[in-house]
C-alpha cells in the first residue's frame, strides 16, 4: 500500500559492495542505513576541517585562524561564561523577532491571499519594502528604538516578515479550487471555510515560508547586533574585530552561528513531519 | 505530535529564553542600585582618544564607590552619532569636525573639552618603499570617516608637500579593519586613531610614516560634547563631568606608571583589548599622545574649520561660539589631577 | 415517484478570446431525473457533460434556462446534494475518519462516530480509519470520497467521472461496490462518464449527448436486472445502440 521511497533511489542493481566482515556487517553494507547517513556528513565535515587546517598552515598566514585556535577560542568563551550569555541573547532576539513576524505575517498573508482587492492594494507596497536590506534599516531602528534589545528584534522582524507573508499569500492563492468547492458543497459558512479548509490546506506552504524566514532571521542576527547592544553572537564578532587581532573569536562566533542555524533548521523541519502537513511535500 | 502540543512547546520556549535572557544579560533579577538611574550616559569608542572617559569612570568608582556617569561603548562612529542624535547618550566623545558639521545641520551640540592631543599616525607596510608624502602619489590610503581628523591631517600634509588630494586615492574604512587591510596590502597606507596604528607596529608588519606630532603639533582629534539641553537643565552634572575628564587627563600625564596602570584597567574592563597595545601607545614614544592642555582654544578649531571648508566637508556656517562652551573650564592650569594611586 | 431534478431549456456559453465571440457549450438541454434513479450522462470528450453536472450542482451558472431540484431552483451548492469529484476531492490534511465525518451535521459525537464506522465498512476501508489520503491508493481515496458523500446523508449524489483516474480492474470493482451501496441506500445518483460500458453497467437511464455544443440526443432506458450480466444479449444491444448513436464503429481500427 505504501510506496517505499527507500527502494526508489538505490543505485543500479549491479552495484558491487565490499563485504565488511563482523558484527556490523549488515548495517555497514547497506548504503542507506542509519550508520552511513551519519558517517557521510560527519566525514565531509572532517575533510573540510582538515583542508582548512592545512590551508592555514601552508599559507603561513598571521591573521586567519586554523580550526585549532578556533576551538581554543570557543573553550575560552565557555570558561569566561560568555558563550552561554551570548547564545541566549541572540536566541532571545531571534525568537521574539521571528515570533512577531509569524504573528503579523501569517494572518496578514491569509487575508491578502483570500481577498483580491486587499491584495491589489497592499502587494506593491510589500514588493517595495521587501528588497530593502535590514542593514539599511539600522539608523531608523536606533532612532525609533534606541539602544536596547528592541532595535535588533525590530530588524529581525523586518527580515522575517516578508518571506512569511509572501509564502502565505502564495499558499492561499494556489489553493486547489476543488477543496473550496467541496467545502461549499457541505454548506460551510465563510469563517468555517477559512479555518477548516483554507488554513489547513495552506499550512505546508506556510511552513516552507517559515523555514526560509528562520534562516534569514538567524542570518540577520549579526547585522542586527551591530547596533550597540552588548551581548550576542553578532556582537561577539563585531567586538572581536575591535579588540585587535582576535580573528579566532570572529571565526568562533561564525562557527557557533552556523551550528545553531543547523539545529534551528532541523527543528523546524520536524514540523513538516506532522501527518496533517506531510501531504504537502512531494516524496 | 499535534498542533496543540507544538504551540505549547513554542510558548514554553519563548518564556524560557526570555527568562534566561533577563537573568543573564539584562540583570533584571539582580538588585538594582538606585543611583544608577540618576547618572547620565556618555558614549565612547575603544580608542586612546577617548581614554579619559573610562579612566574617569574607574577612578571615581575607586575613590567614591560610584561614577559620575554611565559609559556606553560603541563599535563604530555611525552608531555613536546616532545614539547621540536620538538622545540616548546626551554626552559623548566625538570627532571634532563631526561635531562642527552636526552644529551646521542644526543639532544642539556643545563641545566642552578635548579628548587628547596628537595620538594619530600614518602607517605603511614595513616592506614598502614609501618614505615620504611624495611616495604616496598614486597610492591608496585608508581613513576612518569623512569627518575624521585623519582626513584633514592628510589634507594638511598634502598641502605642506605641495600635493593635492587628487594625487592619491582616499578610501573610508572602519579603524578595526585597517590593520588587516595593511597586512594584506589591500591598501598602501592607513591612518586612524590609536591603538589600531600601534597594533600594526607591535605585530611587526607596520612602519610609521609620520606621527601627527611631526606634521601638526598639538593636533586635536576628538572632543567631549554634550547636548545643549543638558547644560540648561543639569549644569552641575556637566560641571562634574568636565572636572572629572580634566582631572583624569592630568592624572594620566602625571607619571608613566599612571599611564601603564590605566592601560591595564582600561583594556581589561572597558576596551576588551590586549593591554600591551595601550601600554605601547601610551609610552613609545612618551609624547605620542598627550592628555594635558585640553581646554578649548579658538585657533585650534578655526584651523579645523578652514581645512574642513577646503576639503569640502564643512560649509562654514558654524563658528567657535556656536558649537563650544568654554564656561566649564576657566583655567586649565588650575585643574587638579586625581589623587589616586593604584593599590600595590 | 417524485422528480428529483428537472432541467428546462438549459443553455450555456462562455466568452471567447476574441471580442464578441461566444463559445457555445450546451444547447437546449431538457431532462428530468426521478427520485431514487441512477442516471448516467454519456458523451464524447468536450461535449459539456461535466459542465452540465456542475451547473446542476450549483457551482456554475447557466446562461439561460433553469434547473429545479426538488421543486426549487438551484442557486448554489447545497449540502443536500453532494458532489463527488474525479480526483483529489478528499482533504489531504484529514485522515479517513475525519474526512468522512466532515459533512456530518447535527449529530452527537457518539452518533457521528457510529455513522462514520458504518460507511467505512460499507466502502470496504475497515482498518484504515486513521490513514491519511496520501498513504492510500487512488481507488481507496475515491472510496473515502464516496463514503464522505454518503455520510452527509444527501438526497442526491452527483458524480463527475469518479472512476476516471483508476485502472481497469479497480474500476470494475468500484462499479460493483457502488451498485451495492446504491441498492442499500437508494439515493438519487447522477453519474457522468465517457465510458459507454460503464454507463450501461450502472444506469437505469442513460442521457446520450452530442458533440459540442452538447445536447441530449437520446435518452436510453436500461431495463436489465442487477447484477448485470456482461454477456447478456440485451446488454450488448444497449451498448451497441449507444455506440452507434455516438457515431462510433464497433470495430477497433476503423
Amino acid at each position: 500500500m505504501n510506496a517505499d521511497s527507500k527502494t526508489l533511489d538505490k543505485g543500479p542493481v549491479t552495484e558491487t559492495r565490499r563485504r565488511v566482515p563482523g558484527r556490523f556487517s549488515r548495517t555497514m553494507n547497506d548504503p542507506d542505513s542509519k550508520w552511513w547517513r551519519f558517517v557521510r556528513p560527519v566525514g565531509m565535515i572532517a575533510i573540510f576541517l582538515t583542508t582548512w587546517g592545512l590551508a592555514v598552515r601552508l599559507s603561513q598566514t598571521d591573521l586567519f585562524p586554523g580550526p585549532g585556535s578556533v576551538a581554543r577560542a570557543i573553550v575560552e568563551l565557555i570558561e569566561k561564561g560568555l558563550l552561554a550569555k551570548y547564545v541566549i541573547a541572540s536566541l532571545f532576539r531571534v525568537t521574539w523577532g521571528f515570533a512577531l513576524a509569524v504573528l503579523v505575517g501569517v494572518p496578514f498573508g491569509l487575508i491578502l491571499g483570500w481577498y483580491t482587492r486587499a491584495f491589489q492594494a497592499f502587494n506593491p507596497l510589500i514588493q517595495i519594502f521587501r528588497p530593502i536590506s535590514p542593514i539599511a534599516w539600522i539608523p531608523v531602528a536606533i532612532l525609533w528604538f534606541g539602544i536596547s534589545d528592541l532595535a535588533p528584534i525590530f530588524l529581525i522582524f523586518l527580515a522575517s516578515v516578508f518571506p512569511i507573508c509572501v509564502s502565505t499569500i502564495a499558499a492561499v492563492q494556489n489553493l486547489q479550487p476543488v477543496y473550496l468547492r467541496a467545502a461549499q458543497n457541505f454548506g460551510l459558512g465563510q469563517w468555517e471555510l477559512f479555518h477548516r479548509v483554507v488554513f489547513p490546506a495552506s499550512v505546508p506552504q506556510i511552513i516552507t515560508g517559515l523555514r526560509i524566514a528562520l534562516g534569514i532571521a538567524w542570518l540577520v542576527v549579526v547585522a542586527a547586533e551591530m547596533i550597540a547592544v552588548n551581548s550576542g553572537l553578532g556582537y561577539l564578532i563585531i567586538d572581536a574585530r575591535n579588540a585587535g587581532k582576535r580573528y579566532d573569536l570572529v571565526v568562533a562566533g561564525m562557527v557557533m552561528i552556523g551550528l545553531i542555524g543547523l539545529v534551528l533548521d532541523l527543528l523546524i523541519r520536524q514540523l513538516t513531519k506532522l501527518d496533517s502537513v506531510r501531504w504537502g511535500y512531494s516524496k | 505530535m499535534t498542533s496543540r502540543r507544538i504551540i505549547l512547546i513554542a510558548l514554553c520556549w519563548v518564556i524560557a529564553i526570555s527568562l534566561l535572557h533577563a537573568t543573564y544579560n539584562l540583570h533584571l533579577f539582580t538588585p538594582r542600585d538606585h543611583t544608577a538611574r540618576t547618572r547620565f550616559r556618555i558614549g565612547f569608542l575603544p580608542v586612546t582618544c577617548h581614554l579619559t572617559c573610562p579612566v574617569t569612570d574607574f577612578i571615581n568608582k575607586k575613590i567614591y564607590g560610584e561614577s559620575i556617569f554611565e559609559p556606553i561603548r560603541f563599535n563604530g562612529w555611525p552608531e555613536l552619532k546616532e545614539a547621540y542624535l536620538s538622545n540616548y547618550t546626551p554626552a559623548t566623545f566625538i570627532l571634532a569636525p563631526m561635531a562642527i558639521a552636526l552644529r551646521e545641520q542644526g543639532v544642539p551640540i556643545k563641545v566642552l573639552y578635548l579628548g587628547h592631543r596628537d595620538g594619530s599616525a600614518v602607517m605603511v607596510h614595513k616592506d614598502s618603499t614609501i618614505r615620504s608624502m611624495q611616495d604616496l602619489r598614486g597610492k591608496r590610503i585608508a581613513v576612518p570617516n569623512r569627518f575624521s581628523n585623519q582626513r584633514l591631517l592628510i589634507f594638511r600634509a598634502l598641502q605642506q608637500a605641495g600635493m593635492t588630494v587628487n594625487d592619491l586615492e582616499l578610501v573610508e574604512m572602519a579603524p578595526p579593519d585597517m590593520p588587516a587591510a595593511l597586512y594584506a596590502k589591500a591598501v598602501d597606507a592607513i591612518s586612524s586613531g590609536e591603538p589600531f596604528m600601534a597594533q600594526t607596529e607591535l605585530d611587526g608588519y607596520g612602519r610609521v610614516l609620520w606621527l601627527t606630532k611631526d606634521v601638526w603639533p598639538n593636533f586635536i582629534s576628538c572632543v567631549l560634547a554634550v547636548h545643549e539641553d543638558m547644560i540648561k537643565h543639569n549644569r552641575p552634572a556637566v560641571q562634574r563631568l568636565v572636572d572629572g575628564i580634566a582631572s583624569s587627563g592630568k592624572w594620566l600625564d602625571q607619571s608613566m606608571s599612571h599611564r601603564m596602570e590605566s592601560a591595564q584597567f582600561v583594556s581589561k574592563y572597558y576596551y576588551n583589548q590586549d593591554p600591551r597595545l595601550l601600554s605601547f601607545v601610551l609610552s613609545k614614544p612618551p609624547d605620542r599622545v598627550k592628555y594635558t592642555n585640553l581646554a578649548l582654544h579658538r585657533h585650534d578649531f578655526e584651523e579645523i574649520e578652514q581645512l574642513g571648508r577646503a576639503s569640502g566637508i564643512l560649509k562654514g556656517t558654524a563658528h567657535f561660539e556656536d558649537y563650544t562652551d568654554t564656561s566649564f573650564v576657566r583655567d586649565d592650569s588650575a585643574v587638579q589631577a586625581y589623587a589616586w594611586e593604584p593599590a600595590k | 415517484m417524485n422528480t428529483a431534478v428537472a432541467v428546462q431549456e438549459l443553455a450555456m456559453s462562455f466568452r471567447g478570446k476574441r471580442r464578441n465571440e461566444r463559445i457555445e457549450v450546451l444547447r437546449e438541454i431538457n431532462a428530468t431525473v426521478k427520485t431514487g434513479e441512477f442516471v448516467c450522462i454519456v458523451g464524447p470528450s468536450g461535449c459539456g457533460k461535466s459542465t452540465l453536472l456542475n451547473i446542476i450542482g450549483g457551482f456554475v451558472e447557466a446562461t439561460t434556462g433553469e434547473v429545479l431540484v426538488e421543486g426549487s431552483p438551484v442557486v448554489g451548492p447545497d449540502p443536500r446534494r453532494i458532489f463527488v469529484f474525479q480526483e483529489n476531492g478528499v482533504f489531504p490534511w484529514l485522515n479517513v475518519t475525519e474526512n468522512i465525518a466532515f459533512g456530518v451535521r447535527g449529530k452527537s459525537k457518539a452518533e457521528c462516530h457510529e455513522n462514520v464506522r458504518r460507511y467505512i465498512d460499507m466502502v470496504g476501508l475497515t482498518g484504515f480509519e486513521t490513514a491519511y489520503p496520501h498513504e492510500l491508493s487512488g481507488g481507496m481515496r475515491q472510496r473515502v470520497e464516496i463514503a464522505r458523500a454518503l455520510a452527509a446523508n444527501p438526497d442526491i449524489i452527483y458524480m463527475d467521472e469518479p472512476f476516471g483516474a483508476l485502472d481497469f480492474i479497480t474500476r470494475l470493482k468500484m462499479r460493483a461496490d457502488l451498485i451495492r451501496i446504491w441498492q442499500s441506500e437508494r439515493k438519487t445518483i447522477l453519474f457522468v462518464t465517457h465510458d459507454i460500458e460503464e454507463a450501461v453497467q450502472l444506469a437505469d437511464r442513460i442521457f446520450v449527448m452530442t458533440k459540442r455544443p452538447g445536447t441530449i440526443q437520446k435518452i436510453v432506458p436500461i431495463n436489465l436486472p442487477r447484477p448485470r450480466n456482461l454477456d447478456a444479449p440485451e446488454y450488448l444491444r444497449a451498448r451497441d445502440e449507444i455506440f452507434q448513436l455516438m457515431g462510433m464503429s464497433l470495430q477497433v481500427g476503423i
Side-chain angles (χ1 to χ4, degrees):
Chain A
M1 185 235 324
N2 211 0
D4 189 355
S5 59
K6 228 166 60 135
T7 54
L8 285 176
D9 58 358
K10 267 207 175 114
V13 178
T14 51
E15 182 186 342
T16 50
R17 291 176 208 140
R18 239 186 293 136
R19 304 246 66 179
V20 177
R23 208 147 44 100
F24 298 103
S25 60
R26 187 165 336 152
T27 41
M28 290 183 71
N29 283 318
D30 173 10
D32 286 313
S33 70
K34 271 208 157 99
W35 161 252
W36 281 110
R37 285 219 299 259
F38 173 74
V39 163
R40 276 197 200 103
V42 170
M44 200 65 229
I45 292 177
I47 292 176
F48 169 74
L49 288 174
T50 318
T51 316
W52 171 16
L54 275 175
V56 165
R57 198 162 303 176
L58 287 176
S59 68
Q60 292 181 320
T61 171
D62 206 18
L63 293 179
F64 196 80
S69 28
V70 171
R72 277 194 293 277
I74 295 182
V75 170
E76 177 190 333
L77 285 171
I78 297 178
E79 282 174 354
K80 282 199 201 151
L82 288 176
L83 189 68
K85 275 180 69 170
Y86 287 167
V87 167
I88 288 173
S90 293
L91 281 176
F92 170 79
R93 292 170 193 133
V94 168
T95 297
W96 278 96
F98 185 73
L100 285 170
V102 171
L103 289 174
V104 167
V106 170
F108 202 56
L110 289 172
I111 294 175
L112 288 193
W114 187 246
Y115 293 107
T116 325
R117 296 202 192 115
F119 177 74
Q120 283 168 355
F122 280 98
N123 190 46
L125 266 180
I126 293 180
Q127 299 306 328
I128 288 176
F129 277 101
R130 182 158 71 118
I132 302 179
S133 161
I135 300 183
W137 285 93
I138 287 182
V140 175
I142 298 187
L143 277 172
W144 286 348
F145 299 100
I147 313 292
S148 63
D149 279 324
L150 283 176
I153 289 176
F154 171 69
L155 292 176
I156 292 172
F157 164 80
L158 271 182
S160 323
V161 77
F162 292 108
I164 292 178
C165 196
V166 167
S167 311
T168 310
I169 294 177
V172 175
Q173 287 179 338
N174 291 334
L175 200 62
Q176 301 255 45
V178 68
Y179 301 148
L180 292 174
R181 284 196 172 177
Q184 281 164 342
N185 200 191
F186 284 106
L188 262 50
Q190 272 275 38
W191 171 243
E192 263 207 301
L193 183 74
F194 214 80
H195 99 260
R196 284 181 78 186
V197 175
V198 175
F199 181 67
S202 314
V203 167
Q205 238 178 307
I206 294 179
I207 291 186
T208 304
L210 291 185
R211 267 188 81 191
I212 296 174
L214 185 61
I216 295 180
W218 191 243
L219 192 142
V220 156
V221 79
V222 174
E225 290 177 346
M226 268 169 67
I227 315 172
V229 291
N230 57 4
S231 54
L233 290 170
Y235 166 80
L236 166 69
I237 293 178
I238 306 288
D239 192 45
R241 203 178 158 228
N242 277 331
K245 252 191 359 170
R246 299 305 309 266
Y247 288 97
D248 56 341
L249 280 177
V250 171
V251 179
M254 288 162 67
V255 165
M256 289 312 303
I257 290 180
L259 288 176
I260 296 181
L262 173 68
V263 169
L264 287 178
D265 190 61
L266 282 176
L267 282 177
I268 210 170
R269 264 209 282 162
Q270 295 308 307
L271 277 184
T272 61
K273 301 218 175 114
L274 280 182
D275 275 325
S276 53
V277 163
R278 203 147 45 105
W279 57 271
Y281 306 108
S282 44
K283 291 219 168 91
Chain B
M1 254 303 209
T2 63
S3 49
R4 198 158 297 178
R5 203 181 296 179
I6 291 182
I7 296 182
L8 201 64
I9 292 180
L11 263 169
C12 284
W13 167 257
V14 172
I15 295 177
I17 194 77
S18 306
L19 282 175
L20 279 173
H21 183 67
T23 318
Y24 285 106
N25 290 316
L26 299 179
H27 310 293
L28 279 181
F29 301 121
T30 53
R32 278 277 225 173
D33 71 289
H34 291 279
T35 52
R37 257 176 253 262
T38 61
R39 282 184 282 149
F40 58 88
R41 295 190 207 98
I42 179 167
F44 71 95
L45 255 62
V47 290
T48 50
C49 198
H50 303 178
L51 196 72
T52 42
C53 182
V55 168
T56 310
D57 185 68
F58 191 78
I59 293 183
N60 268 283
K61 282 197 182 119
K62 287 290 181 192
I63 300 182
Y64 304 113
E66 58 160 24
S67 174
I68 308 172
F69 47 63
E70 191 192 338
I72 308 278
R73 188 180 90 216
F74 290 88
N75 283 320
W77 292 110
E79 293 90 67
L80 179 91
K81 178 181 61 128
E82 260 132 33
Y84 177 80
L85 287 175
S86 64
N87 216 22
Y88 185 77
T89 47
T92 185
F93 278 78
I94 190 171
L95 295 162
M98 199 183 266
I100 302 176
L102 283 177
R103 187 82 225 187
E104 283 181 354
Q105 288 162 26
V107 175
I109 185 169
K110 282 284 186 191
V111 174
L112 303 178
Y113 206 60
L114 299 182
H116 69 8
R117 288 196 181 268
D118 304 318
S120 192
V122 172
M123 312 294 289
V124 296
H125 200 282
K126 74 169 168 23
D127 298 336
S128 80
T129 54
I130 301 173
R131 303 220 174 257
S132 71
M133 280 306 286
Q134 262 77 8
D135 295 335
L136 279 175
R137 200 178 286 265
K139 297 276 193 277
R140 185 182 295 162
I141 175 166
V143 292
N145 183 291
R146 177 154 327 145
F147 293 102
S148 65
N149 297 292
Q150 284 74 24
R151 193 166 167 279
L152 295 183
L153 250 181
I154 289 168
F155 208 72
R156 181 175 156 123
L158 285 168
Q159 270 181 348
Q160 287 173 345
M163 294 159 68
T164 70
V165 77
N166 297 320
D167 291 327
L168 44 72
E169 187 191 345
L170 277 179
V171 293
E172 273 177 45
M173 191 183 289
D177 292 335
M178 288 192 191
L182 189 69
Y183 178 80
K185 300 197 186 154
V187 291
D188 302 297
I190 58 176
S191 176
S192 93
E194 298 290 4
F196 298 109
M197 305 295 99
Q199 188 182 321
T200 64
E201 227 180 311
L202 261 183
D203 288 333
Y205 54 85
R207 170 168 54 84
V208 174
L209 185 60
W210 38 259
L211 297 173
T212 8
K213 66 185 183 69
D214 305 322
V215 164
W216 186 344
N218 291 318
F219 165 71
I220 68 170
S221 175
C222 293
V223 295
L224 168 68
V226 300
H227 201 280
E228 252 181 352
D229 288 344
M230 203 173 147
I231 299 178
K232 251 188 272 185
H233 301 305
N234 200 354
R235 216 189 151 84
V238 177
Q239 186 67 61
R240 276 200 306 274
L241 168 66
V242 178
D243 289 341
I245 299 291
S247 302
S248 292
K250 283 274 163 81
W251 183 84
L252 280 167
D253 278 356
Q254 222 172 27
S255 73
M256 186 50 71
S257 70
H258 283 178
R259 285 193 171 201
M260 290 301 103
E261 185 62 34
S262 72
Q264 292 299 314
F265 65 70
V266 170
S267 303
K268 232 193 315 177
Y269 300 124
Y270 295 89
Y271 283 10
N272 196 20
Q273 289 167 351
D274 190 348
R276 65 190 187 123
L277 261 182
L278 272 183
S279 309
F280 183 81
V281 170
L282 291 173
S283 57
K284 293 187 182 21
D287 59 349
R288 198 173 183 136
V289 348
K290 291 208 285 285
Y291 289 100
T292 37
N293 189 19
L294 298 181
L296 310 175
H297 294 298
R298 180 186 291 271
H299 66 85
D300 288 324
F301 284 90
E302 283 184 344
E303 253 186 307
I304 291 185
E305 275 183 56
Q306 192 196 39
L307 274 173
R309 275 199 306 277
S311 67
I313 57 169
L314 292 177
K315 289 196 285 254
T317 52
H319 302 291
F320 188 71
E321 294 77 22
D322 304 321
Y323 54 78
T324 62
D325 188 331
T326 52
S327 62
F328 291 94
V329 183
R330 292 268 165 224
D331 182 2
D332 208 17
S333 52
V335 172
Q336 293 285 337
Y338 275 121
W340 178 74
E341 295 298 330
K344 285 293 174 259
Chain C
M1 263 223 231
N2 291 329
T3 309
V5 180
V7 180
Q8 295 164 352
E9 290 297 324
L10 193 93
M12 179 71 192
S13 46
F14 294 115
R15 240 213 315 262
K17 284 209 181 104
R18 285 181 289 242
R19 211 149 49 104
N20 294 331
E21 184 187 346
R22 290 204 77 87
I23 303 178
E24 224 191 336
V25 182
L26 295 169
R27 192 156 52 93
E28 283 175 43
I29 308 271
N30 285 291
T32 54
V33 177
K34 297 197 258 300
T35 313
E37 249 198 312
F38 196 127
V39 166
C40 276
I41 305 176
V42 183
S45 286
C47 69
K49 51 193 192 295
S50 285
T51 312
L52 176 60
L53 196 66
N54 275 300
I55 294 174
I56 296 176
F59 296 112
V60 178
E61 219 178 287
T63 326
T64 50
E66 216 178 21
V67 180
L68 296 169
V69 174
E70 283 170 4
S72 3
V74 169
V75 293
D78 192 307
R80 288 171 298 173
R81 298 123 207 183
I82 300 290
F83 206 102
V84 173
F85 300 89
Q86 187 172 7
E87 50 180 349
N88 297 328
V90 176
F91 297 133
W93 58 88
L94 298 174
N95 64 22
V96 168
T97 307
E98 290 161 343
N99 257 295
I100 297 177
F102 193 83
V104 179
R105 318 208 123 212
K107 288 200 158 60
S108 72
K109 238 182 169 178
E111 277 181 335
C112 177
H113 196 77
E114 196 32 60
N115 237 2
V116 170
R117 170 138 287 288
R118 187 167 141 244
Y119 288 110
I120 289 182
D121 292 337
M122 193 187 292
V123 298
L125 284 175
T126 323
F128 291 101
E129 289 85 351
T130 53
Y132 276 84
H134 66 265
E135 296 167 335
L136 304 175
S137 69
M140 296 165 87
R141 280 201 287 271
Q142 286 305 89
R143 289 168 199 268
V144 174
E145 193 163 354
I146 293 172
R148 183 176 73 181
L150 289 170
N153 202 19
D155 303 323
I156 310 175
I157 301 183
Y158 304 122
M159 305 180 97
D160 188 358
E161 305 200 46
F163 307 145
L166 306 175
D167 67 271
F168 181 73
I169 301 208
T170 314
R171 259 185 274 156
L172 288 178
K173 212 179 165 311
M174 298 289 283
R175 286 176 207 157
D177 288 336
L178 181 62
I179 290 297
R180 176 175 50 84
I181 295 170
W182 174 71
Q183 280 174 326
S184 78
E185 300 269 312
R186 277 291 163 174
K187 308 273 185 205
T188 312
I189 295 188
L190 215 56
F191 190 108
V192 162
T193 180
H194 62 269
D195 187 340
I196 299 171
E197 303 248 12
E198 184 166 72
V200 182
Q201 284 167 23
L202 294 174
D204 291 329
R205 282 190 303 152
I206 301 180
F207 297 171
V208 184
M209 293 187 70
T210 61
K211 279 203 303 238
R212 191 200 292 172
T215 191
I216 299 182
Q217 51 172 305
K218 187 163 181 204
I219 300 182
V220 178
I222 312 281
N223 291 318
L224 297 167
R226 291 187 180 87
R228 289 185 177 163
N229 184 353
L230 303 189
D231 288 324
E234 299 86 5
Y235 169 87
L236 295 171
R237 231 201 330 269
R239 189 199 66 182
D240 294 346
E241 183 186 350
I242 298 177
F243 260 80
Q244 275 170 339
L245 278 172
M246 286 176 54
M248 283 160 54
S249 157
L250 290 169
Q251 287 177 304
V252 178
I254 294 182

